Structure formats: structure tokens, C-alpha cells
């Protein structure tokens, strides 16, 4: 195949079974922060704290998906998107994190699921996308070992109420990000810091991921169960041995620490000394309960990081060299645009023994979009998506078992500590009026999915 031919992308090239979709998360889109008996989540509390979110933004209304869900699902249909990933807000269905259930919360998700199915769109439910009920955080949150049973109970509630119609389940979203940013660095909810909080949260989240998988397996007939990991292609800044070793440590922390125990390989404690501290919290036959036989693994890859040895960074002895400093193109998140990253990640993760099929459950980019004459001509985003798809196709042709691609995200939304400054949507949102405009990237994706329309 010559180069020109190779660069024309079509849906068929990926095969008829390849899954196409978009991903979202409850706290980032729903708004309705206190509607119908919802309890507070750690993100409600964190984003109300001064200085935590850029420009003092909050998600009290976000995209108002709580009220606009029908319109947004119609837009999905208009764009020919067959799979929709959304998360359940734990504190909406269980306001204090534990029983009793808030029936209004259950009704709300039932309405979404039913409407998706009515529109011929397959629901993909994420059980935990970072919004722990605040009442549980007061009891220690993920640093409290009991969180494993709280999460199992919540999972059982969701599986029981939604499992007759939802077959695709994602247990946890990106454990390394919410434990790292939320319990070690304090820049995400719940805003706690320190190595002890982090290590405890890491172990409890891993146990909860496997436990949640088992609950869904035992409750939902024919369930397709996965969980997602954030993964970043890591390269050393130079070929100096100390940079190479630093890159290996960062790779261990970001890419291996959470997936390896799930795959039955245990924590990679030999390659990152600080992980030895996990031994303090691994009790009884915990090691036997870290693994679960998932049907798929969701990988979420946005960029690569270039790593340098650093004497002053505790525990990891490494620092990241930002794209800007390296003179490389980057998004409004400061993340390098480097499509080959997703190829390397697919090759790396496919190499694990016992790796089930892989879905790319998130990929996308934030750029400074502008609305001109009612249109958003976001060329850079379209190009970003196309180039990433080319790399996925290349990996697939070389034998990687990748079977799906979900764009992050359907609409612009509340981008955590960045507030509304970082726009990732295929659809533009005016946060004052809640007006939606399909961006050119969205139009492109819709046409890519069904060229006949
Ligand atoms: C998360 C999303 C987030 C996206 C872009 C992922 O880390 O799952 O919630 O909005 O990346 O930052």
C-alpha cells in the first residue's frame, strides 16, 4: 500500500466488530449537584474550595446533562455513534455512600439507559469515575480499607438495578490518576497529600477493582466487564543511564503499578522501591484477591512524556520535560501531540501474558476552539483523532488485539482542576446558555462512522 492510500482512513479498515463510541463522566457533565436527593461527592466539596479550580469554576450545572440528556443522546444518534460510555454518580444513587438507595437516582439512570436503547445506542457504564461520596471520605475514603466493601455494595446495587439492560461495565476509571492527583499531590479531590495516603489508596482501589469485577460477574448475565487505565508512552530525555533509569521508574509508576496486580502479576515492587511500602497494608490473603479475569482492558492514552533524572523529586527521582520546553506541539493541557504514543502503548500492553482484548476507552484533545458564524472549525482536533486512528490501525495490523475506540468526549465539559478552560468535546458547549454546536471534528467523526449519510 503506498503512502497516500494508507493515509485515507475508513471505518471498514478496522473490521466490522470494531467498537466505536464516545466517553463521558457523571461529574463532568451532569450538573444538578443536589437534585432529587443526591448526596455530596468529594468533587462537590473540593471544587467549592477556594483556589482549587482554575478561574473559580464549579460543576454545579456543568453541561446540565441531567436535564439535557435526551437532546445530547439525539446528537449521538445524529453523529452515528453506536456506543456511549457514561458513569454513575455513586452519591446520586447512594447519597451517603452506603444503603439505603436513593430511588430518584436509580430512576434517573434508568431513563438514560432506556433512552439510549430506544435510540439504538449501546450503554457502557463506568461505576467509578472519581466522585466518591463525601460521607465516605469523612471516614477516610480510599485510604480506609472498608472502601472495598462500600464499593462492592454500591456495585451490587448498580448491577442489580441496571444489569438487565446494561451489558458493558467498566469498574474503575484511571486509578493511577485519581489516587496520584487526589491522595498524593492534592490537586484533585479529595485534596489529600502524602505517600502514606497514596499507597493505602492504591492498594484499596486495586482490591476494589477486582472485587467489583466479581460482583458484576456474579450478578449480571452475559456481562462484558472491563476496567480502564491511563497510560502514557515514556521516553528518557537522553541516553544517559540515569535518565534511562528515571524513565523506567516513571513507566513503572504510571503504566504498570495498577494493571499488573489485576493481571495476576503482583505489584512491580522490584522496579520502584517506594512500592515496597505496600507490604504494610497487604494483609491476610490480599495478594490472591488483586487479580480479576476481565473481558477487556480499557486503555486511555493522550500523549507521551519525556523523563529526566531529578535529585530533588522524592520517591521517584525523575521529572517530566514539558512539550513546550522541547519545542513540540501541545494541546491546551500542555500535553504533547504525539500520535505514535498510542501505537507504542498498544504494543507494550499487548505484550502482557494473559492480556484480554484492548479497547481504547479514551483519546482526544483540548484546543482553544472559537465559534465563528455558528461553526467551530477545529482542524487540529480532527487531525489529532485521524492521526491517532492511523497509529491504532498500524498496531492492529501488526497483531495487537485492539477492538474499539472511544473519543473523549462527546461535549465540552468540566475538566476537573482546569474547569471549563480545556475543551475536549466533539460538540461545543456555551456554558452560559447550554447551547450545543457540533464542531467540524464531530461532523467528521459522524461521516467517518457512516459515509452514506
Ligand atoms: C479522564 C477524564 C478527563 C480526560 C482529559 C482522563 O484522564 O478519565 O475524566 O477529562 O482524561 O483530561
Amino acid at each position: 500500500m503506498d503512502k497516500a492510500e494508507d493515509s485515507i482512513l475508513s471505518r471498514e479498515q478496522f473490521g466490522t466488530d470494531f467498537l466505536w463510541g464516545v466517553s463521558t463522566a457523571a461529574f463532568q457533565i451532569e450538573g444538578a449537584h443536589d437534585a432529587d436527593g443526591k448526596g455530596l461527592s468529594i468533587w462537590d466539596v473540593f471544587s467549592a474550595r477556594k483556589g482549587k479550580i482554575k478561574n473559580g469554576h464549579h460543576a454545579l450545572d456543568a453541561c446540565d446533562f441531567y436535564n439535557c440528556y435526551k437532546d445530547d443522546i439525539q446528537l449521538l444518534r445524529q453523529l452515528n455513534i453506536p456506543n456511549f460510555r457514561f458513569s454513575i454518580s455513586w452519591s446520586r444513587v447512594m447519597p451517603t455512600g452506603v444503603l439505603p438507595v436513593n430511588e430518584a437516582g436509580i430512576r434517573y439512570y434508568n431513563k438514560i439507559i432506556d433512552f439510549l436503547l430506544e435510540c439504538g445506542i449501546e450503554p457502557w457504564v463506568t461505576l467509578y469515575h472519581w466522585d466518591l461520596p463525601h460521607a465516605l471520605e469523612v471516614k477516610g475514603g480510599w485510604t480506609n480499607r472498608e472502601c472495598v466493601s462500600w464499593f462492592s455494595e454500591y456495585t451490587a446495587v448498580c448491577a442489580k438495578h441496571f444489569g438487565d439492560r446494561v451489558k458493558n461495565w467498566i469498574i474503575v476509571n484511571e486509578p493511577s490518576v485519581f489516587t496520584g492527583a487526589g491522595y498524593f499531590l492534592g490537586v484533585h479531590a479529595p485534596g489529600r497529600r502524602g505517600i502514606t495516603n497514596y499507597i493505602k489508596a492504591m492498594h484499596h482501589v486495586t482490591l476494589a477493582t477486582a472485587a467489583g469485577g466479581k460482583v458484576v460477574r456474579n450478578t449480571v448475565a452475559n456481562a462484558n466487564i472491563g476496567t480502564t487505565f491511563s497510560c502514557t508512552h515514556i521516553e528518557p530525555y537522553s541516553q544517559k543511564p540515569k535518565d534511562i533509569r528515571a524513565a523506567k521508574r516513571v513507566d513503572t509508576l504510571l503504566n504498570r503499578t495498577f494493571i499488573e496486580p489485576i493481571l495476576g502479576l503482583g505489584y512491580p515492587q522490584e522496579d520502584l522501591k517506594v512500592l515496597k511500602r505496600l507490604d504494610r497494608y497487604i494483609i491476610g490473603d490480599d495478594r490472591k484477591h488483586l487479580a480479576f479475569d476481565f473481558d477487556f482492558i480499557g486503555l486511555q492514552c493522550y500523549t507521551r512524556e519525556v523523563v529526566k533524572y531529578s535529585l530533588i523529586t522524592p520517591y521517584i527521582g525523575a521529572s517530566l520535560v514539558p512539550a513546550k520546553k522541547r519545542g513540540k506541539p501541545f494541546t491546551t493541557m500542555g500535553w504533547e501531540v504525539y500520535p505514535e504514543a498510542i501505537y507504542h502503548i498498544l504494543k507494550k500492553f499487548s505484550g502482557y501474558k494473559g492480556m484480554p482484548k484492548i479497547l481504547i476507552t479514551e483519546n482526544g484533545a483540548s484546543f482553544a476552539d472559537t465559534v465563528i458564524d455558528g461553526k467551530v472549525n477545529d482542524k487540529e482536533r480532527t487531525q489529532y483523532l485521524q492521526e491517532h486512528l492511523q497509529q491504532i490501525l498500524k498496531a492492529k495490523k501488526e497483531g495487537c488485539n485492539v477492538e474499539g475506540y472511544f473519543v473523549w468526549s462527546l461535549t465540552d465539559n468540566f475538566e476537573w482542576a482546569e474547569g471549563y478552560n480545556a475543551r475536549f468535546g466533539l460538540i461545543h458547549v456555551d456554558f452560559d446558555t447550554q447551547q450545543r454546536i457540533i464542531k467540524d471534528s464531530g461532523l467528521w467523526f459522524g461521516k467517518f462512522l457512516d459515509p452514506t449519510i
Side-chain angles (χ1 to χ4, degrees):
M1 195 182 278
D2 68 25
K3 259 211 152 140
E5 200 185 330
D6 201 25
S7 66
I8 301 167
L9 263 188
S10 77
R11 179 177 178 165
E12 286 72 54
Q13 291 168 302
F14 292 80
T16 44
D17 292 337
F18 199 85
L19 298 160
W20 298 95
V22 287
S23 294
T24 63
F27 191 77
Q28 295 180 270
I29 60 170
E30 285 181 356
H33 65 288
D34 61 355
D36 304 326
K38 179 183 169 293
L40 288 176
S41 79
I42 53 173
W43 269 96
D44 289 307
V45 175
F46 184 75
S47 44
R49 280 167 62 187
K50 212 167 170 236
K52 295 297 175 193
I53 312 294
K54 266 195 192 158
N55 301 336
H57 289 168
H58 57 72
L60 300 178
D61 306 312
C63 307
D64 198 26
F65 184 79
Y66 192 79
N67 296 304
C68 301
Y69 73 92
K70 280 202 170 173
D71 295 339
D72 285 349
I73 292 172
Q74 302 277 17
L75 288 170
L76 275 171
R77 189 152 69 166
Q78 196 179 326
L79 294 181
N80 313 310
I81 296 168
N83 295 286
F84 182 57
R85 175 180 167 215
F86 61 98
S87 76
I88 307 253
S89 155
W90 185 345
S91 59
R92 208 180 276 295
V93 300
M94 293 163 92
T96 59
V98 294
L99 293 169
V101 160
N102 172 29
E103 291 301 335
I106 300 288
R107 273 198 299 280
Y108 164 65
Y109 290 108
N110 274 334
K111 284 192 296 188
I112 293 186
I113 294 163
D114 290 343
F115 193 62
L116 283 168
L117 293 172
E118 203 181 308
C119 292
I121 297 165
E122 195 58 28
W124 291 67
V125 160
T126 308
L127 286 164
Y128 188 75
H129 203 126
W130 306 357
D131 46 355
L132 188 77
H134 175 66
L136 299 182
E137 179 56 32
V138 171
K139 297 182 192 164
W142 287 108
T143 65
N144 184 339
R145 199 182 157 87
E146 266 195 82
C147 214
V148 182
S149 1
W150 300 328
F151 182 69
S152 300
E153 183 179 66
Y154 157 67
T155 300
V157 165
C158 294
K160 175 178 149 211
H161 285 90
F162 311 128
D164 56 335
R165 287 148 298 145
V166 174
K167 294 299 161 202
N168 306 296
W169 294 82
I170 288 170
I171 306 299
V172 165
N173 183 69
E174 294 189 351
S176 71
V177 177
F178 77 82
T179 55
Y183 286 88
F184 180 64
L185 297 172
V187 295
H188 274 192
R192 291 167 71 182
R193 286 172 210 266
I195 196 69
T196 304
N197 286 330
Y198 178 47
I199 294 283
K200 282 188 194 172
M202 178 185 289
H203 184 49
H204 301 149
V205 168
T206 305
L207 286 170
T209 306
K214 282 177 204 149
V215 171
V216 178
R217 183 74 80 223
N218 294 335
T219 321
V220 179
N222 306 316
N224 180 34
I225 311 172
T227 197
T228 76
F229 299 97
S230 96
C231 39
T232 304
H233 175 57
I234 305 295
E235 285 179 21
Y237 183 65
S238 78
Q239 287 310 306
K240 287 187 197 146
K242 58 183 186 176
D243 283 347
I244 293 177
R245 284 196 299 269
K248 189 169 175 194
R249 288 192 295 275
V250 172
D251 179 56
T252 305
L253 184 70
L254 298 187
N255 293 321
R256 299 176 50 202
T257 299
F258 287 87
I259 194 171
E260 292 192 1
I262 289 289
L263 293 176
L265 303 169
Y267 293 110
Q269 292 174 295
E270 290 313 312
D271 287 328
L272 189 59
K273 264 204 214 111
V274 68
L275 297 182
K276 298 238 160 106
R277 295 184 188 215
L278 280 160
D279 291 343
R280 300 178 194 170
Y281 309 105
I282 298 176
I283 54 178
D285 55 2
D286 273 7
R287 286 192 200 271
K288 283 200 209 135
H289 298 293
L290 293 173
F292 179 73
D293 199 6
F294 280 103
D295 300 307
F296 68 91
I297 291 293
L299 299 183
Q300 321 203 135
C301 174
Y302 290 85
T303 190
R304 79 165 160 182
E305 292 291 356
V306 171
V307 170
K308 207 174 173 175
Y309 169 73
S310 155
L311 184 67
I312 54 166
T313 320
Y315 312 115
I316 187 88
S319 63
L320 307 179
V321 187
K324 193 173 175 186
K325 242 188 166 167
R326 289 181 279 116
K328 301 292 181 194
F330 55 91
T331 68
T332 51
M333 297 291 282
W335 299 345
E336 182 181 355
V337 177
Y338 187 71
E340 293 87 342
I342 209 161
Y343 167 82
H344 293 302
I345 284 293
L346 282 168
K347 296 293 265 192
K348 176 185 173 77
F349 282 78
S350 298
Y352 277 119
K353 198 165 162 260
M355 183 75 177
K357 80 174 164 222
I358 297 172
L359 305 182
I360 298 295
T361 37
E362 282 184 30
N363 172 246
S366 68
F367 291 109
D369 301 321
T370 42
V371 180
I372 300 173
D373 296 334
K375 292 188 175 152
V376 180
N377 179 358
D378 57 336
K379 278 206 279 314
E380 285 171 297
R381 181 172 294 101
T382 307
Q383 192 180 340
Y384 178 100
L385 299 176
Q386 290 171 339
E387 289 178 356
H388 280 75
L389 284 170
Q390 293 284 9
Q391 294 294 328
I392 293 168
L393 193 57
K394 180 173 167 208
K396 190 168 164 58
K397 283 184 182 159
E398 290 175 18
C400 293
N401 190 12
V402 51
E403 283 304 331
Y405 179 79
F406 288 60
V407 176
W408 182 269
S409 182
L410 177 64
T411 57
D412 294 335
N413 57 45
F414 179 78
E415 178 51 39
W416 309 113
E418 299 296 311
Y420 298 101
N421 300 310
R423 293 178 174 271
F424 276 88
L426 295 173
I427 297 173
H428 183 272
V429 177
D430 177 327
F431 290 101
D432 294 326
T433 62
Q434 292 299 344
Q435 198 205 347
R436 273 58 168 159
I437 297 173
I438 301 177
K439 300 180 193 176
D440 285 359
S441 60
L443 295 171
W444 167 77
F445 194 51
K447 194 111 189 112
F448 169 82
L449 294 177
D450 189 349
T452 64
I453 292 181

